[in-house]
Amino acid sequence: MNIEQYGWNDEWKNKWTEKLQQLEARILEPGRIVGDFGSKYRVIASTGEIWGELSGKLRHTLTGSGDYPAVGDWVALAMQDGGEHAVIHGVMPRRSVISRKVAGVTQEEQIVASNVDTLFLVSALNDDFNVRRMERYLIMAWNSGANPVILLTKADLCADAAEKIAEMQRAAPGVAVHAVSALLGDGREELLPYIGRGQTVALTGSSGCGKSTMVNWLSGQNLQLTQDIREGDSRGRHTTTHRELFVLPDGGIIVDTPGMRELQLWEDDGGLDLAFGDISSLAADCRFSDCRHVREEGCAVLEAVASGVLDEKRLLNYRKTQKELQFQNSKEVKQKRKTVAATSKSTPPRAKGNSWQRVLEEY
């Protein structure tokens, strides 16, 4: 295997060349993170797949979990022991970033995957099916810069698949929705445009929705372990324990991720308005520009609910998520102020800036 099979192309070569022109007398090679195992990474480089770890200086200058390399990242490597392993000295600027807030009360960003072209949002057509939850996943997807596509798996288990597909399409205007069955082999041809040579796709969804099964099905081999769901509630068991990237027979690259028990959104970069585009369009006709769509007179959104054009549950989820993101943003601002204040006191000026700047300053 070589890095071209993992998505290395002229676009990345040009970015790499631009950065290397600023370096002197230090030999670095490009590589891509294909597996995240905590303190160490699996990296594809010119010598093949090897183990890599962060340089001590880079690790010291990383201020948050979102700065660390993630699966899908292109990184700068210093090869060691004849190419047997490598030291990671920097992360190239990301083209897309799929992230969420870490579980719990900690204000930290968790990178799910980076440099992804298409994000498959996976939901099974059993008790896992949840339109409101998918609306949250769509916000994350639109914020990432990747193209969202909804996959409804286990279509063979659903007697009313057409009805559920239509319901999901109403909740995700403009987003492609595909129902597939790995057991019966149905729907694979619909996914081929997303997994062509050099294209990177990632899978995300709740535990037991069939992500690892999809990886095995699309690859034609058992790359990932799978487990049956619980009979009582169709809840899944955590099979995938870390993020990992694989090359598919059609030339595409696919990232499998651990299932999410809950999705806590990290920040909003326009994803809320895109995920709820119908509400945003209706809001343009509200009498007041700052309409909250609660009890205001002349609210076009409330009128749409009253007339049956807009599902009231969708509006309620929009309000709930909007408040959550506003609250999350206020906490992020406070946390960033604290981090900046602490950094300015303890970190020399040369250690600031993005990870590429750190590479340039290091040499």
Side-chain angles (χ1 to χ4, degrees):
M1 303 297 285
N2 55 61
I3 61 174
E4 281 76 16
Q5 291 171 284
Y6 283 82
W8 187 249
N9 54 30
D10 290 339
E11 177 187 353
W12 288 110
K13 289 177 183 177
N14 291 335
K15 291 181 179 179
W16 177 260
T17 300
E18 291 174 4
K19 297 301 180 182
L20 286 188
Q21 288 176 350
Q22 304 172 52
L23 296 173
E24 295 180 1
R26 181 72 185 192
I27 299 176
L28 294 172
E29 293 188 14
R32 193 174 196 186
I33 305 292
V34 299
D36 183 353
F37 296 87
S39 61
K40 290 192 175 183
Y41 302 87
R42 291 297 288 175
V43 185
I44 186 69
S46 59
T47 56
E49 192 172 314
I50 58 176
W51 284 104
E53 56 186 322
L54 300 181
S55 69
K57 188 165 187 177
L58 177 59
R59 185 186 300 275
H60 178 71
T61 57
L62 298 177
T63 58
S65 58
D67 295 330
Y68 280 76
V71 170
D73 271 331
W74 288 101
V75 294
L77 304 173
M79 308 304 289
Q80 304 289 320
D81 300 329
E84 292 296 321
H85 70 276
V87 176
I88 301 170
H89 288 279
V91 181
M92 291 183 68
R94 293 159 174 159
R95 188 155 51 86
S96 63
V97 184
I98 302 163
S99 64
R100 65 168 185 166
K101 192 185 86 66
V102 298
V105 298
T106 305
Q107 291 304 303
E108 287 281 353
E109 178 184 19
Q110 182 182 62
I111 306 297
V112 177
S114 66
N115 300 316
V116 170
D117 299 299
T118 301
L119 179 58
F120 285 158
L121 306 174
V122 186
S123 176
L125 285 167
N126 53 19
D127 291 342
D128 177 69
F129 184 83
N130 188 314
V131 172
R132 305 285 81 86
R133 183 174 63 217
M134 184 58 70
E135 289 170 344
R136 294 177 62 83
Y137 276 97
L138 281 167
I139 294 172
M140 179 182 71
W142 286 122
N143 283 332
S144 73
N147 177 49
V149 172
I150 297 174
L151 294 189
L152 301 179
T153 62
K154 306 180 183 182
D156 53 285
L157 300 178
C158 184
D160 58 345
E163 181 179 334
K164 288 187 175 180
I165 292 170
E167 184 180 358
M168 192 64 78
Q169 288 173 332
R170 289 193 295 271
V175 177
V177 179
H178 302 285
V180 299
S181 170
L183 179 64
L184 301 179
D186 293 340
R188 189 180 189 279
E189 65 283 352
E190 298 178 20
L191 307 184
L192 293 179
Y194 308 112
I195 57 175
R197 178 169 296 278
Q199 297 184 71
T200 300
V201 300
L203 298 165
T204 190
S206 59
S207 299
C209 66
K211 298 185 302 300
S212 294
T213 298
M214 288 295 300
V215 171
N216 293 339
W217 182 46
L218 293 174
S219 67
Q221 54 185 312
N222 291 325
L223 296 175
Q224 294 288 70
L225 294 175
T226 60
Q227 296 186 58
D228 292 332
I229 59 175
R230 295 200 300 258
E231 294 290 341
D233 57 7
S234 296
R235 294 295 297 272
R237 303 177 177 91
H238 284 292
T239 302
T240 302
T241 57
H242 56 270
R243 297 164 186 82
E244 198 163 359
L245 183 153
F246 305 96
V247 174
L248 298 173
D250 298 287
I253 304 110
I254 194 165
V255 181
D256 193 13
T257 65
M260 298 183 188
R261 291 299 188 196
E262 63 174 338
L263 170 60
Q264 295 192 47
L265 298 170
W266 172 240
E267 60 183 16
D268 184 36
D269 189 23
L272 179 69
D273 286 338
L274 288 170
F276 292 90
D278 50 349
I279 294 179
S280 299
S281 297
L282 289 167
D285 294 327
C286 290
R287 181 180 301 175
F288 305 107
S289 59
D290 60 348
C291 184
R292 296 179 297 120
H293 322 308
V294 180
R295 288 184 296 271
E296 294 86 349
E297 293 185 5
C299 175
V301 176
L302 293 179
E303 290 174 3
V305 172
S307 64
V309 173
L310 179 66
D311 185 350
E312 184 179 15
K313 292 181 180 178
R314 180 166 171 79
L315 175 58
L316 293 176
N317 197 35
Y318 170 80
R319 289 179 190 158
K320 175 184 176 183
T321 309
Q322 185 182 50
K323 290 180 180 178
E324 177 187 337
L325 286 168
Q326 290 171 345
F327 180 64
Q328 171 67 18
N329 181 65
S330 67
K331 292 193 294 184
E332 287 176 29
V333 170
K334 291 179 181 178
Q335 183 66 31
K336 288 177 181 178
R337 287 174 180 170
K338 291 181 180 178
T339 302
V340 170
T343 303
S344 62
K345 292 179 180 179
S346 60
T347 306
R350 68 186 303 274
K352 297 179 181 179
N354 60 37
S355 56
W356 260 114
Q357 185 62 37
R358 298 184 193 113
V359 175
L360 303 181
E361 292 171 345
E362 187 170 349
Y363 301 115

